[in-house]
Amino acid sequence: MTRVLAVTSEIFPLVKTGGLADVTGALPGALAPLDIATTTLVPGYPAVLRALSATQEVMRFDDLFGGPAVVRAGTTGELDVLALDAPHLYTRDGSPYFGPDGNPWSDNDRRFAALGAAGAAVATGQGFDVLHAHDWQAALAVVYLHVHAGARPATLLTIHNLAFQGLFPASLFPQLGLPASLYSVDGLEFWGNVSYLKGGLSFADRLTTVSPTYAREITHPDHGAGLDGVLRRRAADLVGILNGIDEEVWNPADDALIPSPFSAPRLARRAANKAALQARFGLAAESDALLIGIVSRLTEQKGLDLLVDQIAERAASGLQFVILGSGEPAIQRGFTAAAAEYPTRIGCEIGYDEALAHVIQAGSDAILVPSRFEPCGLTQLCALRYGAVPIVGRVGGLVDTVIDANAAALAAGVATGIQFSPVTEAGLQEALDRIVALWQDRPAWTRTQRNALKADVSWRRSAQQYADLYRALEAERA
Ligand code: ADP
């Protein structure tokens, strides 16, 4: 049995702002049958402390970055959780990262240094074999273990999105309690600032990211977000392991959130979901109109500004769109205005709605993910599972999970969706032309949809890869 301490700022179902939470929430369950026991340390946000009943105190700090803190062990569902109960840092409503004014909490430097310090202390004090840090918020755990005197567990850092790095002014460094020598170009220093992520990338025994293609892309300047040099240096220790999705949460054959559960042998039942989705958004009840769904953060990363510019023209030519998401005001305004102009062809809901996401996946013919970069992407995995043909940018994990319906793939009968590049307005235009053509070729469409339904989007293969990696790390330190 290998004991892993995962350190993360999000875990589904306790606290989620994106795919990170899905991963940290699903991985422990997928690893358990492989003899890996995972305990997850998360900040004691109000929602986390509320969800954990009958907790036990396992560690106490008199002063953790400005106040006392207690690590409390509890469980929720199948998850073993350690909550870092530090009221001065985490007892506040709202987002884990942003205050009510929409700006990052001004003490995020201390909030996530505390998470790292507590992670390192728990990992050594409680006899874990491996510390697995997720993203910049947990990266300092790796650094504190690097300077720990005496035996320590092996360390692994997973990059879920290199764009988020935890950058703070250099004046913070002395407060971190780390040796001055670490504030250098080979340590945490990044162009005159402190970078938590760079610290983790520099000192973790091994690095992973969430797809093989993204693992390669980030060693190049165009996708390296300034850290490609560090990643090239560590290339031998960096691997990509794809994310999966929870096949019980996302199960079209048994999903209480959708009007008409269906499966590959009962594909005809899917039509009722499309009709319900059209009705839900007030779209024309046309079964043969191609309906494209979007469930996404509305940000430049996701490339949805490209669709804003051409959605009206496509609606006028007969396509239907349903959009669920929130993010940059200009993109939100663009979709809201388009929906007002074409109410029977475009539906738009600004916000975050887990249940509606299921309804859209089940009722859309296709799901559009036009990301400019995408470490793995989960939306297209849900789309495959629900038989909504994914249309994706040819980047990152989208490359590794969708088989483009090019002539060879169609001839071989293996296509599951459409990939396009470059991710530009013209590229998207061409992709939409291709999906319309595929829709009009019903045998090819149905074949693609059925292939999508058969794709393996589970955690099985990836969980085995993480388990092998943990065991290799453990063996190296033995
Ligand atoms: P990222 O983490 O970059 O936002 P991912 O594709 O990795 O993107 O994961 C996003 C997850 O959040 C997916 O499960 C997606 O379905 C979900 N999601 C995104 N936006 C919304 C929304 N507005 N409502 C419901 N679910 C959403």
Side-chain angles (χ1 to χ4, degrees):
M1 163 86 69
T2 301
R3 293 185 65 219
V4 175
L5 178 68
V7 184
T8 176
S9 63
E10 299 185 25
I11 183 166
F12 183 84
L14 301 183
V15 48
K16 168 172 168 174
T17 72
L20 167 64
D22 290 322
V23 174
T24 56
L27 201 46
L31 286 165
L34 304 175
D35 214 26
I36 306 285
T38 309
T39 303
T40 307
L41 176 71
V42 282
Y45 308 117
V48 170
L49 295 174
R50 271 197 305 272
L52 301 178
S53 52
T55 56
Q56 270 187 318
E57 180 176 324
V58 297
M59 195 173 274
R60 176 173 282 271
F61 302 87
D62 294 334
D63 181 4
L64 188 67
F65 291 91
V70 176
V71 177
R72 301 185 194 282
T75 57
T76 178
E78 307 274 285
L79 297 169
D80 287 320
V81 175
L82 295 172
L84 179 58
D85 185 2
H88 61 297
L89 300 173
Y90 308 125
T91 304
R92 31 188 111 159
D93 289 327
S95 145
Y97 314 120
F98 302 101
D101 58 0
N103 291 317
W105 296 110
S106 62
D107 57 350
N108 274 351
D109 50 358
R110 285 179 307 255
R111 296 172 78 227
F112 295 108
L115 182 65
V122 170
T124 50
Q126 305 281 311
F128 283 93
D129 302 306
V130 178
L131 177 135
H132 186 171
H134 294 271
D135 270 353
W136 74 265
Q137 297 91 344
L140 282 195
V142 166
V143 181
Y144 285 115
L145 283 181
H146 174 72
V147 299
H148 177 76
R152 66 158 177 92
T155 56
L156 172 66
L157 173 69
T158 294
I159 305 159
H160 295 265
N161 191 334
L162 196 63
F164 304 118
Q165 303 183 351
L167 273 184
F168 302 104
S171 56
L172 163 71
F173 191 78
Q175 298 171 45
L176 298 178
L178 291 167
S181 61
L182 292 197
Y183 187 70
S184 72
V185 70
D186 294 325
L188 282 75
E189 193 261 341
F190 184 74
W191 301 105
N193 288 297
V194 175
S195 164
Y196 286 14
L197 185 65
K198 189 178 172 198
L201 295 178
S202 301
F203 299 122
D205 295 326
R206 221 58 78 80
L207 306 173
T208 66
T209 188
V210 288
S211 70
T213 296
Y214 192 61
R216 280 192 299 277
E217 287 173 343
I218 58 180
T219 62
H220 297 282
D222 49 346
H223 281 104
L227 290 169
D228 47 291
V230 184
L231 290 162
R232 276 196 298 281
R233 207 163 60 233
R234 303 267 355 237
D237 296 317
L238 168 67
V239 292
I241 301 177
L242 276 175
N243 289 334
I245 53 172
D246 187 324
E247 288 181 308
E248 283 173 28
V249 175
W250 294 97
N251 181 4
D254 181 22
D255 185 341
L257 298 171
I258 65 175
S260 175
F262 64 97
S263 58
R266 297 198 166 72
L267 199 50
R269 293 188 182 174
R270 199 175 185 280
N273 294 311
K274 178 171 177 178
L277 182 60
Q278 286 169 323
R280 161 80 171 70
F281 280 91
L283 305 185
E286 296 168 9
S287 61
D288 58 354
L290 173 61
L291 170 52
I292 298 178
I294 287 138
V295 181
S296 182
R297 292 188 288 121
L298 303 180
T299 64
E300 192 186 326
Q301 177 199 335
K302 301 294 180 179
L304 288 163
D305 50 309
L306 302 171
L307 180 64
V308 168
D309 295 334
Q310 46 191 294
I311 193 169
E313 191 187 320
R314 290 291 177 170
S317 75
L319 265 59
Q320 292 188 333
F321 293 90
V322 163
I323 297 137
L324 167 64
S326 65
E328 287 163 18
I331 305 180
Q332 294 187 175
R333 273 197 306 275
F335 285 136
T336 310
E341 192 183 350
Y342 291 92
T344 63
R345 311 225 70 85
I346 303 174
C348 175
E349 186 145 317
I350 300 301
Y352 190 95
D353 186 337
E354 200 82 30
L356 185 54
H358 285 242
V359 173
I360 294 174
Q361 292 281 4
S364 301
D365 299 305
I367 290 282
L368 178 62
V369 188
S371 304
R372 290 187 166 89
F373 70 93
E374 193 60 78
C376 178
L378 297 175
T379 322
Q380 85 283 6
L381 300 183
C382 301
L384 291 166
R385 178 109 170 112
Y386 278 63
V389 174
I391 311 162
V392 303
R394 188 173 289 135
V395 292
L398 301 172
V399 173
D400 298 324
T401 52
V402 173
I403 302 175
D404 180 54
N406 56 41
L410 285 172
V414 296
T416 60
I418 289 204
Q419 292 186 0
F420 70 95
S421 76
V423 180
T424 56
E425 234 176 278
L428 176 59
Q429 218 159 22
E430 207 175 281
L432 293 176
D433 289 343
R434 288 183 63 207
I435 196 82
V436 169
L438 191 64
W439 176 248
Q440 284 161 355
D441 179 352
R442 278 318 151 91
W445 178 272
T446 306
R447 186 83 188 261
T448 306
Q449 189 181 35
R450 287 190 176 278
N451 289 341
L453 283 165
K454 275 195 299 210
D456 181 3
V457 294
S458 75
W459 272 105
R460 273 181 294 278
R461 214 155 49 112
S462 304
Q464 186 65 56
Q465 289 174 284
Y466 277 111
D468 293 345
L469 184 53
Y470 291 151
R471 276 194 262 274
L473 279 166
E474 199 185 353
E476 280 167 25
R477 295 204 71 77

